[in-house]
Amino acid sequence: MKVTALAGGVGGAKLVDGLAQCLSPSDLNVIINTADDFKHFGLHISPDIDTVCYTLAGISNIQTGWGREDESWVVRHSIRDLGGPDWFKLGDKDIATHLERTRRLNLGEKLDSITKYFCNKWGIKINVIPMSNDLVMTTVQTQDNGEIPFQEYFVKYHCQPKVKGFIFRGIEKADPAPGVIDSILKADVIIICPSNPWVSIDPILTLKDFRKTLKTKCVIAISPIINGKALRGPAAKMFKEMGIIPSALAVADHYRDVISGFVVHKTDLNEIAQIEQWSIMTTALDIIMSNKAHRKRLAQEVLIFCDQLI
Ligand code: GDP
Ligand code: CA
């Protein structure tokens, strides 16, 4: 089965790692959100690409969910001593990624090519594709604090400001990266990972030609919301502030125009009937991925579900 997965950072990375344990590398493409990308100290930082790649390479920090394992913080502490901004925590090894990425971008290399090169260096065999080589930057529209660039909202303000909308700046002009549309067309099934629907998956879906291409395919999604809560991050809070009760049902509704299959957590069984009224085949599984073996087990079960749909 040829699979193309859509992913943001933490939740996406876990399922992608599971899928990579089940499928042969030539059967798995992953399209990663780049609307979280931003410049800091002049460096181009791609948080979701890095989370997915560090996870696949087995070098991610499992505790924090971001950054690399066995980090040192010499640069960050030295910046702080100089009175520079240290709200975005960059470890020394992580900084090397951003330095080398930025150096290559400055020489004219594209983000997709740099990502491929890094994957090769890190022993990642599956095809990791940034959604676009063009800069797209999410701005959060807040109820009381105006517009805030996504990383400031997420990291500096700890997702405290109440949201009322999201703008993906640059999305109209951004072309899908080479391989994005092609990987959708060639896939038997598209899997929307349990990532944040508002800020990780919506930017990908909003890309030029993307929804149109998806409409011709079998698409399934796995809920990032369990028992009305996100396992981490602001997804549930965002639903609430956008006037929607957070639930797996709300996630299915969010993706209603593109999905024909949906996976909820086993404790959210009671939401299945209503989702199925929208002609979305729905199953309940244990969708909490606490370790590498759980990721593989969920991926196997999701692939069996996909098999029934295609
Ligand atoms: P970010 O870009 O780092 O914020 O990560 P994503 O957008 O990819 O993922 C964030 C979402 O992942 C949150 O809404 C979490 O609820 C969800 N998530 C994290 N771990 C798991 C898991 O083990 N299972 C499921 N179903 N969702 C998860
Ligand atoms: Ca992210």
Side-chain angles (χ1 to χ4, degrees):
M1 195 190 311
K2 278 204 173 299
V3 173
T4 293
L6 315 185
V10 179
K14 290 192 209 167
L15 187 64
V16 168
D17 186 47
L19 291 166
Q21 293 180 63
C22 299
L23 293 163
S24 93
S26 58
D27 285 341
L28 179 58
N29 291 293
V30 187
I31 299 168
I32 312 286
N33 171 44
T34 57
D36 287 12
D37 289 21
F38 75 121
K39 300 241 190 238
H40 199 45
F41 295 104
L43 301 178
H44 183 107
I45 302 182
S46 299
D48 287 354
I49 294 178
D50 292 342
T51 297
V52 170
C53 289
Y54 292 161
T55 302
L56 287 169
I59 55 174
S60 66
N61 183 324
I62 313 261
Q63 269 76 43
T64 54
W66 52 264
R68 292 183 58 161
E69 64 182 354
D70 299 325
E71 265 296 12
S72 55
W73 301 92
V74 176
V75 174
R76 179 166 183 242
H77 293 158
S78 305
I79 289 168
R80 193 184 50 199
D81 293 345
L82 289 170
D86 68 343
W87 58 269
F88 195 83
K89 301 183 190 75
L90 293 169
D92 297 331
K93 289 184 196 169
D94 197 25
I95 288 172
T97 305
H98 312 316
L99 279 168
E100 180 57 9
R101 173 186 291 123
T102 307
R103 186 187 73 82
R104 286 171 173 265
L105 283 169
N106 288 342
L107 289 174
E109 198 177 341
K110 301 290 184 200
L111 187 61
D112 66 322
S113 155
I114 298 168
T115 304
K116 257 195 189 78
Y117 173 82
F118 284 1
C119 282
N120 199 18
K121 284 281 171 196
W122 287 324
I124 297 168
K125 299 212 166 55
I126 68 162
N127 193 17
V128 178
I129 319 171
M131 70 180 204
S132 179
N133 283 332
D134 303 318
L135 197 61
V136 179
M137 290 175 91
T138 297
T139 300
V140 182
Q141 297 170 298
T142 67
Q143 294 179 21
D144 305 312
N145 305 84
E147 292 184 9
I148 307 179
F150 180 72
Q151 291 302 338
E152 291 192 28
Y153 161 82
F154 196 65
V155 183
K156 197 173 184 177
Y157 301 116
H158 309 287
C159 310
Q160 292 293 323
K162 290 199 174 115
V163 306
K164 61 175 186 189
F166 307 92
I167 301 172
F168 308 129
R169 295 211 180 278
I171 197 87
E172 307 83 14
K173 293 203 199 96
D175 287 315
V180 165
I181 297 295
D182 199 47
S183 77
I184 297 289
L185 289 172
K186 288 195 176 128
D188 298 306
V189 64
I190 317 301
I191 298 178
I192 301 179
C193 290
S195 289
N196 185 315
W198 299 101
V199 290
S200 290
I201 301 298
D202 278 358
I204 306 177
L205 297 181
T206 310
L207 270 179
K208 216 182 278 176
D209 295 333
F210 201 87
R211 265 174 201 276
K212 196 172 69 189
T213 315
L214 269 195
K215 289 243 160 101
T216 63
K217 308 298 293 190
C218 173
V219 183
I220 74 140
I222 291 89
S223 181
I225 303 283
I226 295 172
N227 296 327
K229 296 192 181 73
L231 288 182
R232 66 191 299 160
K237 183 176 177 286
M238 286 173 173
F239 271 102
K240 224 177 277 166
E241 290 164 1
M242 298 291 283
I244 304 163
I245 297 169
S247 62
L249 178 82
V251 177
D253 194 14
H254 192 91
Y255 293 139
R256 197 159 146 184
D257 62 331
V258 290
I259 57 172
S260 51
F262 193 64
V263 184
V264 302
H265 191 54
K266 55 189 184 184
T267 52
D268 288 329
L269 267 177
N270 57 328
E271 300 185 17
I272 291 183
Q274 198 175 339
I275 299 171
E276 291 206 319
Q277 280 180 8
W278 299 327
S279 301
I280 298 167
M281 193 166 145
T282 305
T283 189
L285 300 170
D286 179 352
I287 61 170
I288 299 180
M289 296 168 280
S290 314
N291 58 42
K292 201 166 171 79
H294 289 174
R295 296 173 192 165
K296 183 177 181 184
R297 190 251 320 129
L298 177 59
Q300 277 167 336
E301 292 171 358
V302 165
L303 290 171
I304 292 169
F305 177 59
C306 292
D307 232 359
Q308 295 163 4
L309 273 170
I310 56 179

